[in-house]
Short mmCIF file of all heavy atoms in Angstrom, two decimals:
data_model
loop_
_atom_site.label_atom_id
_atom_site.label_comp_id
_atom_site.label_asym_id
_atom_site.label_seq_id
_atom_site.Cartn_x
_atom_site.Cartn_y
_atom_site.Cartn_z
N TYR O 1 0.81 -1.22 0.00
CA TYR O 1 0.00 0.00 0.00
C TYR O 1 0.85 1.27 0.00
O TYR O 1 0.43 2.28 -0.57
CB TYR O 1 -0.99 -0.03 1.17
CG TYR O 1 -2.00 -1.14 0.99
CD1 TYR O 1 -1.73 -2.43 1.46
CD2 TYR O 1 -3.18 -0.92 0.30
CE1 TYR O 1 -2.64 -3.46 1.24
CE2 TYR O 1 -4.09 -1.95 0.08
CZ TYR O 1 -3.81 -3.22 0.55
OH TYR O 1 -4.69 -4.25 0.33
N GLY O 2 2.03 1.22 0.60
CA GLY O 2 2.94 2.37 0.49
C GLY O 2 3.37 2.57 -0.95
O GLY O 2 3.33 3.69 -1.47
N SER O 3 3.80 1.48 -1.59
CA SER O 3 4.20 1.58 -2.98
C SER O 3 3.05 2.03 -3.87
O SER O 3 3.24 2.76 -4.85
CB SER O 3 4.74 0.23 -3.47
OG SER O 3 5.94 -0.11 -2.80
N LEU O 4 1.85 1.59 -3.54
CA LEU O 4 0.69 1.96 -4.34
C LEU O 4 0.46 3.47 -4.31
O LEU O 4 0.31 4.11 -5.35
CB LEU O 4 -0.55 1.23 -3.83
CG LEU O 4 -1.84 1.47 -4.60
CD1 LEU O 4 -1.78 0.84 -5.98
CD2 LEU O 4 -3.05 0.93 -3.81
N VAL O 5 0.43 4.06 -3.11
CA VAL O 5 0.13 5.49 -3.03
C VAL O 5 1.28 6.35 -3.53
O VAL O 5 1.08 7.51 -3.89
CB VAL O 5 -0.28 5.91 -1.59
CG1 VAL O 5 -1.50 5.15 -1.13
CG2 VAL O 5 0.88 5.76 -0.61
N LYS O 6 2.48 5.77 -3.59
CA LYS O 6 3.63 6.50 -4.10
C LYS O 6 3.84 6.30 -5.61
O LYS O 6 4.83 6.76 -6.17
CB LYS O 6 4.90 6.10 -3.34
CG LYS O 6 4.91 6.61 -1.91
CD LYS O 6 4.79 8.11 -1.88
CE LYS O 6 4.58 8.69 -0.52
NZ LYS O 6 4.32 10.14 -0.56
N GLY O 7 2.90 5.63 -6.25
CA GLY O 7 2.95 5.47 -7.69
C GLY O 7 3.98 4.47 -8.18
O GLY O 7 4.33 4.47 -9.36
N GLN O 8 4.45 3.60 -7.29
CA GLN O 8 5.45 2.61 -7.68
C GLN O 8 4.83 1.29 -8.12
O GLN O 8 5.53 0.41 -8.61
CB GLN O 8 6.41 2.35 -6.50
CG GLN O 8 7.19 3.57 -6.07
CD GLN O 8 8.04 3.30 -4.83
OE1 GLN O 8 8.02 2.22 -4.26
NE2 GLN O 8 8.79 4.31 -4.40
N THR O 9 3.53 1.14 -7.91
CA THR O 9 2.84 -0.12 -8.21
C THR O 9 1.65 0.14 -9.13
O THR O 9 0.79 0.96 -8.80
CB THR O 9 2.36 -0.79 -6.91
OG1 THR O 9 3.48 -0.98 -6.03
CG2 THR O 9 1.72 -2.14 -7.20
N TYR O 10 1.63 -0.51 -10.26
CA TYR O 10 0.51 -0.50 -11.21
C TYR O 10 0.27 0.87 -11.87
O TYR O 10 -0.68 1.01 -12.63
CB TYR O 10 -0.79 -0.97 -10.55
CG TYR O 10 -0.66 -2.27 -9.83
CD1 TYR O 10 -1.08 -2.42 -8.50
CD2 TYR O 10 -0.10 -3.38 -10.46
CE1 TYR O 10 -0.95 -3.62 -7.83
CE2 TYR O 10 0.04 -4.59 -9.79
CZ TYR O 10 -0.38 -4.70 -8.48
OH TYR O 10 -0.25 -5.89 -7.81
N ASP O 11 1.10 1.88 -11.55
CA ASP O 11 0.92 3.21 -12.13
C ASP O 11 -0.52 3.68 -11.95
O ASP O 11 -1.16 4.19 -12.88
CB ASP O 11 1.31 3.21 -13.61
CG ASP O 11 1.45 4.61 -14.19
OD1 ASP O 11 1.72 5.55 -13.41
OD2 ASP O 11 1.29 4.77 -15.41
N ALA O 12 -1.01 3.50 -10.72
CA ALA O 12 -2.44 3.73 -10.48
C ALA O 12 -2.72 4.80 -9.44
O ALA O 12 -3.87 4.94 -9.00
CB ALA O 12 -3.08 2.41 -10.04
N ALA O 13 -1.72 5.55 -9.02
CA ALA O 13 -1.92 6.53 -7.94
C ALA O 13 -2.95 7.58 -8.32
O ALA O 13 -3.82 7.93 -7.52
CB ALA O 13 -0.59 7.18 -7.57
N GLU O 14 -2.88 8.08 -9.53
CA GLU O 14 -3.84 9.11 -9.95
C GLU O 14 -5.24 8.51 -10.05
O GLU O 14 -6.22 9.11 -9.59
CB GLU O 14 -3.43 9.70 -11.29
CG GLU O 14 -4.38 10.80 -11.78
CD GLU O 14 -3.97 11.40 -13.11
OE1 GLU O 14 -2.98 10.92 -13.70
OE2 GLU O 14 -4.65 12.35 -13.55
N PHE O 15 -5.35 7.33 -10.63
CA PHE O 15 -6.63 6.66 -10.79
C PHE O 15 -7.32 6.46 -9.44
O PHE O 15 -8.54 6.63 -9.32
CB PHE O 15 -6.42 5.31 -11.49
CG PHE O 15 -7.66 4.51 -11.70
CD1 PHE O 15 -8.58 4.86 -12.67
CD2 PHE O 15 -7.92 3.39 -10.93
CE1 PHE O 15 -9.74 4.12 -12.88
CE2 PHE O 15 -9.06 2.63 -11.12
CZ PHE O 15 -9.98 3.00 -12.10
N LEU O 16 -6.54 6.14 -8.42
CA LEU O 16 -7.09 5.87 -7.08
C LEU O 16 -7.17 7.12 -6.21
O LEU O 16 -7.59 7.03 -5.06
CB LEU O 16 -6.22 4.82 -6.38
CG LEU O 16 -6.22 3.42 -7.01
CD1 LEU O 16 -5.12 2.57 -6.38
CD2 LEU O 16 -7.58 2.75 -6.85
N GLU O 17 -6.79 8.28 -6.76
CA GLU O 17 -6.74 9.52 -5.97
C GLU O 17 -5.92 9.31 -4.68
O GLU O 17 -6.34 9.65 -3.58
CB GLU O 17 -8.15 10.01 -5.62
CG GLU O 17 -8.99 10.37 -6.83
CD GLU O 17 -10.37 10.86 -6.45
OE1 GLU O 17 -11.14 10.06 -5.86
OE2 GLU O 17 -10.68 12.03 -6.71
N ALA O 18 -4.72 8.76 -4.87
CA ALA O 18 -3.89 8.38 -3.73
C ALA O 18 -3.51 9.56 -2.85
O ALA O 18 -3.31 9.39 -1.64
CB ALA O 18 -2.63 7.67 -4.23
N GLU O 19 -3.40 10.73 -3.43
CA GLU O 19 -3.02 11.91 -2.63
C GLU O 19 -4.06 12.23 -1.56
O GLU O 19 -3.75 12.89 -0.57
CB GLU O 19 -2.82 13.12 -3.55
CG GLU O 19 -1.57 13.05 -4.41
CD GLU O 19 -0.30 13.01 -3.58
OE1 GLU O 19 -0.27 13.62 -2.49
OE2 GLU O 19 0.67 12.36 -4.01
N SER O 20 -5.28 11.77 -1.73
CA SER O 20 -6.33 12.08 -0.75
C SER O 20 -6.15 11.31 0.55
O SER O 20 -6.73 11.68 1.57
CB SER O 20 -7.71 11.79 -1.35
OG SER O 20 -7.89 10.39 -1.57
N TYR O 21 -5.34 10.25 0.53
CA TYR O 21 -5.10 9.46 1.75
C TYR O 21 -3.86 10.02 2.44
O TYR O 21 -2.77 9.45 2.40
CB TYR O 21 -4.94 7.98 1.39
CG TYR O 21 -6.14 7.44 0.66
CD1 TYR O 21 -6.13 7.29 -0.74
CD2 TYR O 21 -7.31 7.09 1.34
CE1 TYR O 21 -7.23 6.81 -1.42
CE2 TYR O 21 -8.42 6.61 0.66
CZ TYR O 21 -8.38 6.48 -0.72
OH TYR O 21 -9.49 6.00 -1.39
N GLU O 22 -4.05 11.16 3.08
CA GLU O 22 -2.92 11.94 3.59
C GLU O 22 -2.14 11.21 4.68
O GLU O 22 -0.91 11.33 4.76
CB GLU O 22 -3.41 13.29 4.10
CG GLU O 22 -4.01 14.17 3.00
CD GLU O 22 -4.50 15.50 3.53
OE1 GLU O 22 -4.38 15.74 4.76
OE2 GLU O 22 -5.02 16.30 2.72
N ASN O 23 -2.83 10.48 5.53
CA ASN O 23 -2.13 9.77 6.61
C ASN O 23 -1.31 8.60 6.07
O ASN O 23 -0.21 8.32 6.55
CB ASN O 23 -3.13 9.29 7.65
CG ASN O 23 -3.89 10.43 8.29
OD1 ASN O 23 -3.31 11.41 8.74
ND2 ASN O 23 -5.21 10.33 8.30
N VAL O 24 -1.86 7.93 5.05
CA VAL O 24 -1.10 6.85 4.42
C VAL O 24 0.12 7.42 3.71
O VAL O 24 1.21 6.84 3.76
CB VAL O 24 -1.98 6.06 3.44
CG1 VAL O 24 -1.18 4.95 2.77
CG2 VAL O 24 -3.20 5.48 4.14
N GLN O 25 -0.03 8.57 3.08
CA GLN O 25 1.10 9.22 2.41
C GLN O 25 2.20 9.57 3.42
O GLN O 25 3.38 9.31 3.17
CB GLN O 25 0.63 10.49 1.69
CG GLN O 25 -0.24 10.26 0.48
CD GLN O 25 0.56 9.85 -0.75
OE1 GLN O 25 1.78 9.92 -0.77
NE2 GLN O 25 -0.14 9.41 -1.79
N ARG O 26 1.81 10.15 4.53
CA ARG O 26 2.80 10.52 5.56
C ARG O 26 3.53 9.30 6.08
O ARG O 26 4.76 9.29 6.21
CB ARG O 26 2.07 11.25 6.70
CG ARG O 26 2.96 11.75 7.83
CD ARG O 26 3.09 10.76 8.97
NE ARG O 26 1.78 10.31 9.44
CZ ARG O 26 1.62 9.18 10.12
NH1 ARG O 26 2.65 8.38 10.38
NH2 ARG O 26 0.41 8.80 10.53
N TRP O 27 2.77 8.25 6.38
CA TRP O 27 3.37 7.00 6.88
C TRP O 27 4.29 6.37 5.83
O TRP O 27 5.39 5.92 6.16
CB TRP O 27 2.24 6.04 7.25
CG TRP O 27 2.64 4.62 7.41
CD1 TRP O 27 3.20 4.02 8.49
CD2 TRP O 27 2.50 3.59 6.41
NE1 TRP O 27 3.42 2.68 8.24
CE2 TRP O 27 2.99 2.39 6.97
CE3 TRP O 27 1.98 3.56 5.11
CZ2 TRP O 27 2.99 1.19 6.27
CZ3 TRP O 27 1.98 2.38 4.41
CH2 TRP O 27 2.49 1.21 4.99
N ALA O 28 3.87 6.35 4.58
CA ALA O 28 4.69 5.77 3.52
C ALA O 28 6.01 6.51 3.38
O ALA O 28 7.07 5.90 3.23
CB ALA O 28 3.93 5.76 2.20
N ASP O 29 5.97 7.84 3.43
CA ASP O 29 7.20 8.62 3.37
C ASP O 29 8.13 8.26 4.52
O ASP O 29 9.36 8.12 4.33
CB ASP O 29 6.89 10.12 3.43
CG ASP O 29 6.28 10.65 2.14
OD1 ASP O 29 6.50 10.02 1.08
OD2 ASP O 29 5.58 11.68 2.18
N ASP O 30 7.58 8.09 5.69
CA ASP O 30 8.35 7.78 6.89
C ASP O 30 9.00 6.40 6.76
O ASP O 30 10.22 6.24 6.90
CB ASP O 30 7.42 7.83 8.11
CG ASP O 30 8.16 7.71 9.44
OD1 ASP O 30 9.40 7.55 9.44
OD2 ASP O 30 7.48 7.76 10.48
N VAL O 31 8.21 5.39 6.48
CA VAL O 31 8.70 4.02 6.46
C VAL O 31 9.62 3.77 5.27
O VAL O 31 10.70 3.18 5.41
CB VAL O 31 7.52 3.03 6.44
CG1 VAL O 31 8.00 1.61 6.16
CG2 VAL O 31 6.76 3.09 7.76
N MET O 32 9.24 4.22 4.11
CA MET O 32 9.97 3.87 2.89
C MET O 32 11.26 4.65 2.72
O MET O 32 12.07 4.33 1.84
CB MET O 32 9.05 4.04 1.69
CG MET O 32 7.85 3.10 1.72
SD MET O 32 6.61 3.40 0.44
CE MET O 32 7.50 2.92 -1.02
N SER O 33 11.49 5.66 3.56
CA SER O 33 12.76 6.40 3.53
C SER O 33 13.78 5.83 4.51
O SER O 33 14.94 6.28 4.52
CB SER O 33 12.52 7.88 3.84
OG SER O 33 12.05 8.04 5.18
N ARG O 34 13.41 4.85 5.31
CA ARG O 34 14.35 4.22 6.23
C ARG O 34 15.47 3.56 5.42
O ARG O 34 15.21 2.88 4.42
CB ARG O 34 13.65 3.18 7.09
CG ARG O 34 12.63 3.76 8.06
CD ARG O 34 11.83 2.66 8.75
NE ARG O 34 12.66 1.84 9.61
CZ ARG O 34 12.87 2.06 10.92
NH1 ARG O 34 12.26 3.08 11.52
NH2 ARG O 34 13.64 1.26 11.63
N PRO O 35 16.73 3.75 5.81
CA PRO O 35 17.84 3.16 5.03
C PRO O 35 17.70 1.66 4.83
O PRO O 35 17.98 1.14 3.73
CB PRO O 35 19.07 3.51 5.87
CG PRO O 35 18.69 4.78 6.58
CD PRO O 35 17.23 4.62 6.89
N ALA O 36 17.26 0.93 5.85
CA ALA O 36 17.10 -0.52 5.70
C ALA O 36 15.99 -0.85 4.71
O ALA O 36 16.08 -1.85 3.99
CB ALA O 36 16.82 -1.17 7.06
N TYR O 37 14.94 -0.04 4.69
CA TYR O 37 13.87 -0.27 3.71
C TYR O 37 14.40 -0.04 2.30
O TYR O 37 14.12 -0.83 1.39
CB TYR O 37 12.67 0.65 3.98
CG TYR O 37 11.47 0.30 3.13
CD1 TYR O 37 10.44 -0.47 3.66
CD2 TYR O 37 11.37 0.69 1.80
CE1 TYR O 37 9.34 -0.83 2.88
CE2 TYR O 37 10.30 0.34 1.01
CZ TYR O 37 9.27 -0.42 1.56
OH TYR O 37 8.21 -0.79 0.77
N VAL O 38 15.15 1.03 2.12
CA VAL O 38 15.70 1.33 0.80
C VAL O 38 16.58 0.18 0.32
O VAL O 38 16.50 -0.26 -0.84
CB VAL O 38 16.49 2.65 0.83
CG1 VAL O 38 17.21 2.89 -0.49
CG2 VAL O 38 15.56 3.82 1.15
N ARG O 39 17.42 -0.35 1.21
CA ARG O 39 18.27 -1.47 0.82
C ARG O 39 17.43 -2.72 0.54
O ARG O 39 17.66 -3.42 -0.45
CB ARG O 39 19.30 -1.77 1.92
CG ARG O 39 20.38 -0.72 2.08
CD ARG O 39 21.51 -1.23 2.94
NE ARG O 39 21.07 -1.61 4.28
CZ ARG O 39 20.97 -0.76 5.31
NH1 ARG O 39 21.26 0.52 5.14
NH2 ARG O 39 20.57 -1.18 6.50
N GLY O 40 16.49 -2.99 1.41
CA GLY O 40 15.67 -4.19 1.24
C GLY O 40 14.89 -4.18 -0.06
O GLY O 40 14.71 -5.23 -0.69
N ARG O 41 14.44 -3.02 -0.47
CA ARG O 41 13.68 -2.92 -1.72
C ARG O 41 14.55 -3.21 -2.93
O ARG O 41 14.06 -3.61 -3.99
CB ARG O 41 13.06 -1.52 -1.84
CG ARG O 41 12.14 -1.35 -3.04
CD ARG O 41 11.47 0.00 -3.04
NE ARG O 41 10.62 0.16 -4.24
CZ ARG O 41 11.05 0.62 -5.40
NH1 ARG O 41 12.31 1.02 -5.54
NH2 ARG O 41 10.22 0.72 -6.44
N MET O 42 15.86 -3.03 -2.80
CA MET O 42 16.78 -3.28 -3.92
C MET O 42 17.06 -4.76 -4.14
O MET O 42 17.33 -5.19 -5.26
CB MET O 42 18.10 -2.56 -3.65
CG MET O 42 18.02 -1.06 -3.62
SD MET O 42 19.52 -0.31 -2.92
CE MET O 42 20.76 -0.90 -4.06
N VAL O 43 17.00 -5.54 -3.08
CA VAL O 43 17.46 -6.93 -3.15
C VAL O 43 16.54 -7.78 -4.02
O VAL O 43 15.30 -7.70 -3.91
CB VAL O 43 17.57 -7.53 -1.73
CG1 VAL O 43 17.99 -9.00 -1.80
CG2 VAL O 43 18.56 -6.73 -0.89
N ASN O 44 17.14 -8.60 -4.87
CA ASN O 44 16.41 -9.48 -5.81
C ASN O 44 15.59 -8.70 -6.83
O ASN O 44 14.64 -9.23 -7.40
CB ASN O 44 15.51 -10.47 -5.07
CG ASN O 44 16.27 -11.48 -4.24
OD1 ASN O 44 15.82 -11.86 -3.17
ND2 ASN O 44 17.43 -11.92 -4.70
N ARG O 45 15.98 -7.45 -7.07
CA ARG O 45 15.28 -6.64 -8.07
C ARG O 45 16.08 -6.65 -9.37
O ARG O 45 17.30 -6.46 -9.36
CB ARG O 45 15.11 -5.19 -7.57
CG ARG O 45 14.29 -4.31 -8.51
CD ARG O 45 13.96 -2.96 -7.88
NE ARG O 45 13.14 -3.14 -6.69
CZ ARG O 45 11.84 -3.33 -6.67
NH1 ARG O 45 11.17 -3.36 -7.82
NH2 ARG O 45 11.19 -3.49 -5.54
N ALA O 46 15.38 -6.88 -10.46
CA ALA O 46 16.03 -6.90 -11.77
C ALA O 46 15.26 -6.03 -12.76
O ALA O 46 15.25 -6.29 -13.96
CB ALA O 46 16.14 -8.32 -12.29
#
């Protein structure tokens, strides 16, 4: 759901009006900017 509202999944953020979920946006920014999250998202990615 973090990736979804940040437009990283299915390219559907505009379609879903993701910006309107302000608390989810704030949380996604917080969690997905953690250095360990950034590294973890890279692993096994091609």
Side-chain angles (χ1 to χ4, degrees):
Y1 294 88
S3 294
L4 182 70
V5 300
K6 290 302 171 186
Q8 298 175 358
T9 304
Y10 309 128
D11 193 25
E14 181 180 4
F15 179 74
L16 295 169
E17 297 181 297
E19 289 298 327
S20 67
Y21 303 100
E22 296 179 0
N23 299 310
V24 180
Q25 291 282 349
R26 182 267 309 159
W27 164 82
D29 287 336
D30 188 358
V31 169
M32 297 172 68
S33 65
R34 293 173 65 92
Y37 189 99
V38 173
R39 290 193 300 273
R41 185 176 178 272
M42 295 167 60
V43 177
N44 294 144
R45 184 171 298 279

